[in-house]
Each structure stands twice: as structure tokens, then as C-alpha cells.
Coordinates of all heavy atoms in Angstrom, one line a residue:
T1 N 10.8 3.0 -14.3 CA 10.7 2.0 -15.3 C 10.0 0.8 -14.8 O 9.9 0.6 -13.6 CB 12.2 1.6 -15.7 OG1 12.1 0.7 -16.8 CG2 12.9 0.9 -14.6
Y2 N 9.5 0.0 -15.7 CA 8.8 -1.3 -15.3 C 9.9 -2.4 -15.4 O 10.9 -2.2 -16.1 CB 7.7 -1.6 -16.3 CG 6.4 -0.9 -15.8 CD1 6.3 0.5 -16.0 CD2 5.4 -1.6 -15.2 CE1 5.2 1.2 -15.6 CE2 4.2 -0.9 -14.8 CZ 4.1 0.5 -15.0 OH 3.0 1.1 -14.6
V3 N 9.7 -3.4 -14.6 CA 10.7 -4.5 -14.4 C 10.0 -5.8 -14.6 O 8.9 -6.1 -14.1 CB 11.3 -4.4 -13.0 CG1 12.2 -5.6 -12.7 CG2 12.1 -3.0 -12.9
I4 N 10.7 -6.8 -15.2 CA 10.2 -8.1 -15.4 C 10.9 -9.0 -14.3 O 12.1 -9.1 -14.3 CB 10.4 -8.7 -16.8 CG1 9.7 -7.8 -17.8 CG2 10.0 -10.1 -16.9 CD1 9.8 -8.2 -19.2
A5 N 10.1 -9.7 -13.5 CA 10.6 -10.4 -12.4 C 10.6 -11.9 -12.6 O 10.3 -12.4 -13.7 CB 9.9 -10.1 -11.1
E6 N 10.8 -12.7 -11.6 CA 11.0 -14.1 -11.6 C 10.0 -14.9 -12.4 O 10.3 -15.9 -13.1 CB 11.1 -14.7 -10.2 CG 11.4 -16.1 -10.1 CD 11.8 -16.5 -8.7 OE1 12.9 -16.1 -8.2 OE2 11.0 -17.2 -8.0
P7 N 8.7 -14.6 -12.3 CA 7.7 -15.5 -13.0 C 7.9 -15.6 -14.5 O 7.4 -16.6 -15.1 CB 6.4 -14.8 -12.7 CG 6.6 -14.1 -11.4 CD 8.0 -13.6 -11.5
C8 N 8.7 -14.7 -15.1 CA 8.9 -14.8 -16.6 C 9.9 -15.9 -16.9 O 9.9 -16.4 -18.0 CB 9.5 -13.4 -17.1 SG 9.7 -13.4 -18.9
I9 N 10.7 -16.3 -16.0 CA 11.8 -17.2 -16.3 C 11.3 -18.5 -16.8 O 10.4 -19.2 -16.2 CB 12.7 -17.5 -15.0 CG1 13.4 -16.2 -14.6 CG2 13.7 -18.6 -15.3 CD1 14.2 -16.3 -13.3
D10 N 11.8 -18.9 -18.0 CA 11.4 -20.1 -18.7 C 9.9 -20.1 -19.2 O 9.4 -21.1 -19.6 CB 11.7 -21.4 -17.9 CG 13.2 -21.6 -17.8 OD1 13.9 -21.1 -18.6 OD2 13.6 -22.2 -16.8
V11 N 9.2 -18.9 -19.1 CA 7.9 -18.8 -19.5 C 7.9 -18.0 -20.8 O 7.5 -18.4 -21.9 CB 6.9 -18.1 -18.5 CG1 5.5 -17.9 -19.1 CG2 6.9 -19.0 -17.2
M12 N 8.4 -16.7 -20.7 CA 8.5 -15.9 -21.9 C 7.3 -15.9 -22.8 O 7.5 -16.2 -24.0 CB 9.8 -16.3 -22.6 CG 11.1 -16.1 -21.7 SD 12.6 -16.8 -22.4 CE 12.9 -15.7 -23.8
D13 N 6.2 -15.6 -22.3 CA 5.0 -15.6 -23.0 C 5.0 -14.6 -24.2 O 4.4 -14.8 -25.2 CB 3.8 -15.2 -22.1 CG 2.5 -15.2 -22.8 OD1 1.9 -16.2 -23.0 OD2 2.0 -14.0 -23.2
R14 N 5.6 -13.4 -24.0 CA 5.8 -12.4 -25.0 C 4.5 -11.6 -25.3 O 4.6 -10.8 -26.2 CB 6.3 -13.0 -26.4 CG 7.7 -13.6 -26.2 CD 8.2 -14.2 -27.5 NE 9.4 -14.9 -27.4 CZ 9.6 -16.1 -26.9 NH1 8.5 -16.8 -26.5 NH2 10.8 -16.7 -26.8
A15 N 3.5 -11.7 -24.6 CA 2.3 -10.9 -24.8 C 2.7 -9.4 -24.6 O 2.2 -8.5 -25.2 CB 1.2 -11.3 -23.8
C16 N 3.6 -9.2 -23.6 CA 4.0 -7.8 -23.3 C 4.8 -7.2 -24.5 O 4.6 -6.0 -24.8 CB 5.0 -7.8 -22.1 SG 6.4 -8.9 -22.3
V17 N 5.5 -8.0 -25.2 CA 6.3 -7.5 -26.4 C 5.3 -6.8 -27.4 O 5.6 -5.8 -28.0 CB 7.1 -8.6 -27.0 CG1 7.8 -8.1 -28.3 CG2 8.1 -9.1 -26.0
E18 N 4.2 -7.5 -27.6 CA 3.2 -7.0 -28.6 C 2.6 -5.7 -28.1 O 2.2 -4.8 -28.9 CB 2.0 -8.0 -28.7 CG 2.4 -9.4 -29.1 CD 3.0 -9.4 -30.5 OE1 2.4 -8.8 -31.4 OE2 4.0 -10.1 -30.7
E19 N 2.5 -5.5 -26.8 CA 1.8 -4.3 -26.2 C 2.7 -3.1 -26.2 O 2.2 -1.9 -26.2 CB 1.3 -4.6 -24.8 CG 0.1 -5.5 -24.8 CD -1.1 -5.0 -25.5 OE1 -1.4 -3.8 -25.4 OE2 -1.8 -5.8 -26.2
C20 N 4.0 -3.3 -26.0 CA 4.9 -2.2 -25.7 C 5.0 -1.2 -26.9 O 5.4 -1.6 -28.0 CB 6.3 -2.7 -25.4 SG 7.4 -1.3 -25.0
P21 N 4.6 0.1 -26.7 CA 4.6 1.0 -27.8 C 6.0 1.5 -28.3 O 6.1 2.0 -29.4 CB 3.8 2.2 -27.3 CG 4.0 2.1 -25.8 CD 4.1 0.7 -25.5
V22 N 7.0 1.2 -27.5 CA 8.3 1.7 -27.8 C 9.3 0.5 -28.1 O 10.5 0.7 -28.2 CB 8.9 2.7 -26.8 CG1 8.1 4.0 -26.8 CG2 8.9 2.1 -25.4
D23 N 8.7 -0.7 -28.1 CA 9.6 -1.9 -28.3 C 10.8 -2.0 -27.5 O 11.9 -2.2 -28.0 CB 10.0 -1.9 -29.8 CG 8.8 -2.2 -30.7 OD1 7.8 -2.8 -30.3 OD2 8.8 -1.8 -31.9
C24 N 10.6 -1.8 -26.2 CA 11.8 -1.8 -25.3 C 11.8 -3.1 -24.5 O 12.6 -3.2 -23.5 CB 11.7 -0.6 -24.4 SG 10.4 -0.6 -23.1
I25 N 11.1 -4.1 -24.9 CA 11.2 -5.4 -24.2 C 12.0 -6.4 -25.0 O 11.6 -6.6 -26.2 CB 9.8 -6.0 -23.8 CG1 8.9 -4.9 -23.0 CG2 9.9 -7.3 -23.1 CD1 7.5 -5.3 -22.7
Y26 N 13.1 -6.8 -24.5 CA 14.0 -7.7 -25.2 C 14.1 -9.1 -24.7 O 13.7 -9.3 -23.5 CB 15.4 -7.0 -25.2 CG 15.4 -5.7 -25.8 CD1 15.0 -4.5 -25.1 CD2 15.8 -5.5 -27.1 CE1 15.0 -3.3 -25.7 CE2 15.8 -4.2 -27.7 CZ 15.5 -3.1 -27.0 OH 15.5 -1.9 -27.6
E27 N 14.5 -10.0 -25.5 CA 14.5 -11.4 -25.2 C 15.9 -11.9 -24.8 O 16.9 -11.8 -25.5 CB 14.1 -12.2 -26.4 CG 13.5 -13.5 -26.1 CD 12.8 -14.1 -27.3 OE1 12.1 -13.4 -28.0 OE2 13.1 -15.3 -27.6
G28 N 16.0 -12.4 -23.5 CA 17.2 -13.1 -23.1 C 17.1 -14.6 -23.3 O 16.1 -15.0 -23.9
A29 N 18.0 -15.3 -22.7 CA 18.0 -16.8 -22.9 C 16.8 -17.4 -22.2 O 16.2 -18.3 -22.6 CB 19.3 -17.4 -22.4
R30 N 16.5 -16.9 -20.9 CA 15.5 -17.5 -20.1 C 14.4 -16.6 -19.6 O 13.5 -17.0 -19.0 CB 16.1 -18.2 -18.9 CG 17.1 -19.3 -19.2 CD 17.6 -20.0 -18.0 NE 16.5 -20.6 -17.2 CZ 16.6 -20.9 -15.9 NH1 17.7 -20.7 -15.3 NH2 15.6 -21.4 -15.3
S31 N 14.5 -15.3 -20.0 CA 13.6 -14.3 -19.5 C 13.5 -13.1 -20.5 O 14.5 -12.9 -21.3 CB 14.0 -13.8 -18.1 OG 13.1 -12.8 -17.7
L32 N 12.4 -12.4 -20.4 CA 12.4 -11.1 -21.2 C 12.9 -10.0 -20.2 O 12.8 -10.2 -19.0 CB 11.0 -10.9 -21.6 CG 10.3 -11.9 -22.5 CD1 8.9 -11.6 -22.8 CD2 11.1 -12.1 -23.8
Y33 N 13.4 -8.9 -20.8 CA 13.9 -7.8 -20.0 C 13.4 -6.5 -20.6 O 13.3 -6.3 -21.8 CB 15.4 -7.8 -20.0 CG 16.0 -9.1 -19.4 CD1 16.4 -10.1 -20.2 CD2 16.2 -9.2 -18.0 CE1 17.0 -11.3 -19.7 CE2 16.7 -10.3 -17.5 CZ 17.1 -11.4 -18.3 OH 17.7 -12.5 -17.7
I34 N 13.1 -5.6 -19.7 CA 12.7 -4.2 -20.1 C 13.9 -3.3 -20.0 O 14.6 -3.2 -19.0 CB 11.6 -3.7 -19.2 CG1 10.3 -4.6 -19.4 CG2 11.3 -2.2 -19.5 CD1 9.2 -4.3 -18.5
H35 N 14.2 -2.6 -21.1 CA 15.3 -1.7 -21.1 C 14.9 -0.4 -20.3 O 14.0 0.3 -20.6 CB 15.6 -1.2 -22.5 CG 17.0 -0.6 -22.7 ND1 17.3 0.5 -21.9 CD2 18.1 -0.9 -23.4 CE1 18.6 0.9 -22.2 NE2 19.0 0.0 -23.1
P36 N 15.7 -0.2 -19.2 CA 15.3 0.9 -18.2 C 15.4 2.3 -18.8 O 14.7 3.2 -18.3 CB 16.2 0.7 -17.1 CG 17.4 -0.1 -17.6 CD 16.8 -1.0 -18.7
D37 N 16.2 2.5 -19.8 CA 16.3 3.8 -20.4 C 15.3 4.1 -21.5 O 15.1 5.2 -21.9 CB 17.7 4.0 -20.9 CG 18.8 3.9 -19.8 OD1 18.4 4.2 -18.7 OD2 19.9 3.5 -20.1
E38 N 14.7 3.0 -22.0 CA 13.8 3.1 -23.1 C 12.3 3.1 -22.7 O 11.4 3.6 -23.4 CB 14.1 2.0 -24.2 CG 15.5 2.1 -24.8 CD 15.8 1.0 -25.8 OE1 14.9 0.2 -26.0 OE2 16.9 1.0 -26.3
C39 N 12.1 2.4 -21.5 CA 10.7 2.3 -21.0 C 10.1 3.7 -20.7 O 10.8 4.5 -20.1 CB 10.7 1.4 -19.8 SG 9.1 1.3 -19.0
V40 N 8.9 3.9 -21.2 CA 8.3 5.2 -21.0 C 7.2 5.2 -19.9 O 6.4 6.1 -19.8 CB 7.7 5.8 -22.3 CG1 8.8 6.1 -23.3 CG2 6.6 4.9 -22.9
D41 N 7.2 4.1 -19.1 CA 6.3 3.9 -18.0 C 4.8 4.0 -18.3 O 4.0 4.5 -17.6 CB 6.6 5.0 -16.9 CG 7.9 4.8 -16.2 OD1 8.5 3.7 -16.4 OD2 8.4 5.7 -15.5
C42 N 4.5 3.5 -19.5 CA 3.1 3.6 -19.9 C 2.2 2.6 -19.2 O 1.0 2.7 -19.1 CB 2.9 3.4 -21.4 SG 3.2 1.7 -22.0
G43 N 2.8 1.5 -18.7 CA 2.1 0.5 -18.0 C 1.3 -0.5 -18.9 O 0.6 -1.4 -18.3
A44 N 1.4 -0.4 -20.2 CA 0.6 -1.3 -21.1 C 1.0 -2.8 -20.9 O 0.1 -3.6 -21.1 CB 0.8 -0.8 -22.5
C45 N 2.2 -3.0 -20.6 CA 2.7 -4.4 -20.5 C 2.2 -5.2 -19.3 O 1.9 -6.4 -19.3 CB 4.2 -4.5 -20.6 SG 5.0 -3.5 -19.3
E46 N 2.0 -4.5 -18.2 CA 1.7 -5.1 -16.9 C 0.5 -6.0 -16.9 O 0.6 -7.1 -16.5 CB 1.7 -4.0 -15.8 CG 1.5 -4.6 -14.5 CD 1.4 -3.5 -13.4 OE1 1.5 -2.3 -13.7 OE2 1.1 -3.9 -12.2
P47 N -0.7 -5.5 -17.3 CA -1.9 -6.3 -17.2 C -1.9 -7.5 -18.2 O -2.7 -8.4 -18.0 CB -3.0 -5.3 -17.5 CG -2.4 -4.2 -18.3 CD -1.0 -4.1 -17.8
V48 N -1.2 -7.4 -19.3 CA -1.3 -8.5 -20.3 C -0.4 -9.7 -19.9 O -0.5 -10.8 -20.5 CB -0.9 -8.1 -21.7 CG1 -1.9 -6.9 -22.1 CG2 0.5 -7.6 -21.9
C49 N 0.5 -9.6 -18.9 CA 1.4 -10.7 -18.6 C 0.6 -11.8 -17.9 O 0.0 -11.6 -16.9 CB 2.5 -10.3 -17.7 SG 3.6 -11.6 -17.2
P50 N 0.5 -13.0 -18.5 CA -0.3 -14.1 -17.9 C 0.2 -14.6 -16.6 O -0.5 -15.3 -15.9 CB -0.3 -15.2 -19.0 CG 1.0 -15.0 -19.7 CD 1.3 -13.5 -19.7
V51 N 1.5 -14.4 -16.3 CA 2.1 -14.9 -15.0 C 2.4 -13.7 -14.0 O 3.1 -14.0 -13.0 CB 3.3 -15.7 -15.3 CG1 2.9 -17.0 -16.0 CG2 4.4 -15.0 -16.0
E52 N 1.9 -12.5 -14.3 CA 2.1 -11.4 -13.4 C 3.6 -11.2 -13.1 O 3.9 -11.0 -11.9 CB 1.2 -11.5 -12.2 CG -0.3 -11.4 -12.5 CD -1.2 -11.4 -11.3 OE1 -0.8 -10.9 -10.3 OE2 -2.2 -12.0 -11.4
A53 N 4.4 -11.2 -14.1 CA 5.8 -11.0 -13.9 C 6.3 -9.5 -13.9 O 7.4 -9.2 -13.5 CB 6.6 -11.8 -14.9
I54 N 5.4 -8.6 -14.3 CA 5.8 -7.2 -14.6 C 5.3 -6.3 -13.5 O 4.1 -6.3 -13.2 CB 5.3 -6.8 -16.0 CG1 5.8 -7.7 -17.1 CG2 5.8 -5.3 -16.2 CD1 5.3 -7.4 -18.5
Y55 N 6.2 -5.5 -13.0 CA 5.9 -4.5 -11.9 C 6.5 -3.2 -12.2 O 7.6 -3.2 -12.7 CB 6.4 -5.0 -10.5 CG 5.7 -6.3 -10.1 CD1 6.2 -7.5 -10.5 CD2 4.6 -6.3 -9.3 CE1 5.6 -8.7 -10.2 CE2 4.0 -7.5 -8.9 CZ 4.5 -8.7 -9.3 OH 3.9 -9.9 -8.9
Y56 N 5.9 -2.1 -11.7 CA 6.6 -0.8 -11.7 C 7.7 -1.0 -10.7 O 7.5 -1.7 -9.7 CB 5.6 0.3 -11.3 CG 6.3 1.6 -11.3 CD1 6.8 2.2 -12.5 CD2 6.5 2.3 -10.1 CE1 7.4 3.4 -12.5 CE2 7.1 3.6 -10.1 CZ 7.6 4.1 -11.3 OH 8.3 5.3 -11.3
E57 N 8.8 -0.4 -10.9 CA 10.0 -0.7 -10.1 C 9.8 -0.5 -8.6 O 10.3 -1.2 -7.8 CB 11.2 0.1 -10.5 CG 11.0 1.6 -10.5 CD 12.2 2.4 -11.0 OE1 13.3 1.9 -10.8 OE2 12.0 3.5 -11.6
D58 N 9.0 0.5 -8.2 CA 8.7 0.8 -6.8 C 7.7 -0.2 -6.2 O 7.5 -0.2 -5.0 CB 8.2 2.2 -6.6 CG 9.4 3.2 -6.9 OD1 10.5 2.8 -6.9 OD2 9.0 4.4 -7.2
D59 N 7.0 -0.9 -7.1 CA 6.0 -1.8 -6.6 C 6.4 -3.3 -6.6 O 5.6 -4.2 -6.4 CB 4.7 -1.7 -7.5 CG 4.1 -0.3 -7.4 OD1 4.3 0.3 -6.3 OD2 3.5 0.2 -8.3
L60 N 7.7 -3.5 -6.9 CA 8.2 -4.9 -6.9 C 8.0 -5.6 -5.6 O 8.3 -5.0 -4.5 CB 9.6 -4.9 -7.3 CG 10.0 -4.9 -8.8 CD1 11.5 -4.5 -8.9 CD2 9.8 -6.2 -9.4
P61 N 7.5 -6.8 -5.5 CA 7.5 -7.5 -4.2 C 8.9 -7.6 -3.7 O 9.8 -7.7 -4.5 CB 6.9 -8.9 -4.6 CG 6.2 -8.7 -5.9 CD 6.9 -7.6 -6.6
E62 N 9.0 -7.5 -2.4 CA 10.3 -7.4 -1.7 C 11.3 -8.5 -2.2 O 12.5 -8.2 -2.4 CB 10.1 -7.5 -0.2 CG 11.3 -7.0 0.6 CD 11.0 -6.9 2.1 OE1 9.8 -6.8 2.4 OE2 12.0 -7.0 2.8
Q63 N 10.8 -9.7 -2.4 CA 11.7 -10.8 -2.8 C 12.2 -10.7 -4.2 O 13.1 -11.4 -4.6 CB 11.0 -12.2 -2.5 CG 9.9 -12.5 -3.5 CD 8.6 -12.0 -3.1 OE1 8.4 -11.0 -2.4 NE2 7.5 -12.7 -3.6
W64 N 11.6 -9.8 -4.9 CA 12.0 -9.6 -6.3 C 12.7 -8.3 -6.7 O 12.9 -7.9 -7.8 CB 10.8 -9.9 -7.3 CG 10.3 -11.3 -7.2 CD1 11.0 -12.4 -6.9 CD2 9.0 -11.7 -7.6 NE1 10.2 -13.5 -7.0 CE2 9.0 -13.1 -7.4 CE3 7.8 -11.1 -8.0 CZ2 7.9 -13.9 -7.7 CZ3 6.7 -11.8 -8.3 CH2 6.7 -13.2 -8.1
T65 N 13.0 -7.5 -5.7 CA 13.6 -6.2 -6.0 C 14.9 -6.3 -6.7 O 15.3 -5.4 -7.4 CB 13.8 -5.3 -4.7 OG1 14.5 -6.1 -3.7 CG2 12.5 -5.0 -4.0
V66 N 15.6 -7.4 -6.5 CA 16.8 -7.6 -7.2 C 16.7 -7.6 -8.8 O 17.6 -7.3 -9.5 CB 17.5 -9.0 -6.8 CG1 16.6 -10.2 -7.2 CG2 18.9 -9.1 -7.3
Y67 N 15.5 -7.9 -9.2 CA 15.2 -7.9 -10.7 C 15.3 -6.5 -11.3 O 15.5 -6.4 -12.5 CB 13.9 -8.6 -11.0 CG 14.0 -10.1 -10.8 CD1 13.7 -10.7 -9.6 CD2 14.3 -10.9 -11.9 CE1 13.9 -12.0 -9.4 CE2 14.5 -12.2 -11.8 CZ 14.3 -12.8 -10.5 OH 14.4 -14.2 -10.4
R68 N 15.2 -5.5 -10.5 CA 15.5 -4.2 -11.1 C 16.9 -4.0 -11.6 O 17.1 -3.6 -12.8 CB 15.2 -3.1 -10.1 CG 15.4 -1.7 -10.6 CD 14.9 -0.6 -9.7 NE 15.2 -1.0 -8.3 CZ 14.8 -0.3 -7.2 NH1 14.1 0.8 -7.4 NH2 15.1 -0.6 -6.0
E69 N 17.8 -4.5 -10.8 CA 19.3 -4.5 -11.2 C 19.5 -5.5 -12.3 O 20.3 -5.3 -13.2 CB 20.2 -4.7 -10.0 CG 20.4 -3.5 -9.1 CD 19.1 -3.2 -8.3 OE1 18.5 -4.1 -7.8 OE2 18.8 -2.0 -8.2
D70 N 18.8 -6.6 -12.2 CA 18.9 -7.7 -13.1 C 18.5 -7.3 -14.5 O 19.2 -7.6 -15.5 CB 18.0 -8.9 -12.6 CG 18.5 -10.2 -13.1 OD1 19.7 -10.5 -12.9 OD2 17.7 -10.9 -13.8
N71 N 17.4 -6.6 -14.6 CA 17.0 -6.1 -15.9 C 18.0 -5.1 -16.5 O 18.4 -5.2 -17.7 CB 15.6 -5.4 -15.8 CG 14.5 -6.4 -16.0 OD1 13.6 -6.2 -16.8 ND2 14.4 -7.4 -15.1
A72 N 18.5 -4.2 -15.7 CA 19.4 -3.2 -16.1 C 20.8 -3.8 -16.5 O 21.4 -3.5 -17.6 CB 19.7 -2.1 -15.0
A73 N 21.2 -4.8 -15.8 CA 22.5 -5.5 -16.0 C 22.5 -6.2 -17.4 O 23.5 -6.3 -18.1 CB 22.8 -6.5 -14.9
F74 N 21.3 -6.7 -17.7 CA 21.2 -7.4 -19.0 C 21.6 -6.5 -20.2 O 22.3 -7.0 -21.1 CB 19.8 -7.9 -19.2 CG 19.5 -8.5 -20.6 CD1 20.0 -9.8 -20.8 CD2 18.8 -7.8 -21.6 CE1 19.8 -10.4 -22.1 CE2 18.6 -8.4 -22.8 CZ 19.1 -9.7 -23.1
F75 N 21.3 -5.3 -20.1 CA 21.6 -4.4 -21.2 C 23.1 -3.8 -21.1 O 23.6 -3.4 -22.1 CB 20.6 -3.2 -21.2 CG 19.2 -3.7 -21.5 CD1 18.3 -3.9 -20.5 CD2 18.9 -4.1 -22.8 CE1 17.1 -4.5 -20.8 CE2 17.6 -4.6 -23.1 CZ 16.7 -4.8 -22.0
H76 N 23.6 -3.8 -19.9 CA 25.0 -3.3 -19.8 C 26.0 -4.3 -20.1 O 27.1 -4.0 -20.5 CB 25.2 -2.8 -18.4 CG 24.3 -1.6 -18.1 ND1 23.7 -1.4 -16.9 CD2 24.0 -0.5 -18.9 CE1 23.0 -0.2 -17.0 NE2 23.2 0.3 -18.1
E77 N 25.6 -5.6 -20.0 CA 26.6 -6.7 -20.3 C 26.5 -7.2 -21.7 O 27.3 -7.9 -22.2 CB 26.3 -7.9 -19.4 CG 26.7 -7.5 -17.9 CD 26.2 -8.5 -16.9 OE1 25.6 -9.6 -17.4 OE2 26.3 -8.3 -15.7
T78 N 25.5 -6.8 -22.5 CA 25.3 -7.3 -23.8 C 25.4 -6.2 -24.8 O 25.5 -5.0 -24.5 CB 24.0 -8.0 -24.0 OG1 22.9 -7.1 -23.6 CG2 23.9 -9.3 -23.2
Ligands
LIG1 FE1 6.9 -0.9 -22.7 FE2 5.2 0.6 -21.4 FE3 5.9 -1.7 -20.4 FE4 7.6 0.3 -20.4 S1 5.6 0.2 -19.3 S2 8.0 -1.8 -21.0 S3 7.1 1.3 -22.3 S4 4.8 -1.4 -22.4

């Protein structure tokens, strides 16, 4: 799955939402989140993010690996 990391916080440009073919990018209070069970790993969202917040889960920079759990938790708690 793809994951949205720290640069999205308080930016929420939403360009990725337009690109996602399965509409699996959802809006939280301060960040967008990718539903890990709905993402089809197409990669369409990654290049359109103006702040480079989106990474394939295995390619997350080390300081942002926590965002993989963070994205998943958003859907389990709501
Ligand atoms: Fe949507 Fe594709 Fe991005 Fe997954 S990788 S969130 S399916 S655009």
C-alpha cells in the first residue's frame, strides 16, 4: 500500500484524491490518509503530490515509517 507521511499535515493539497482510481484517499482533520485495504498500489498519487508526502510503504524515509501505522489506525478508529 501507499502511505501519506508528514508533509501532508496542514497542507492537504488533494491532488492525489483526483488521481486515485479507486477513491481510497480520505480526509482527516489535518492530513489525508490512504486506506491500506483499498489501495491497489497503482502509484498514480505519488508523483502528483506537490509536497512529496506519498511513498510506497517499503520506500518510506526512516523517520516517517510510523506513518504506515498512522494511516491504518485512522481507519480502524473511525
Ligand atoms: Fe490510490 Fe493508486 Fe495512490 Fe493507492 S497508489 S492511493 S490506489 S492512487
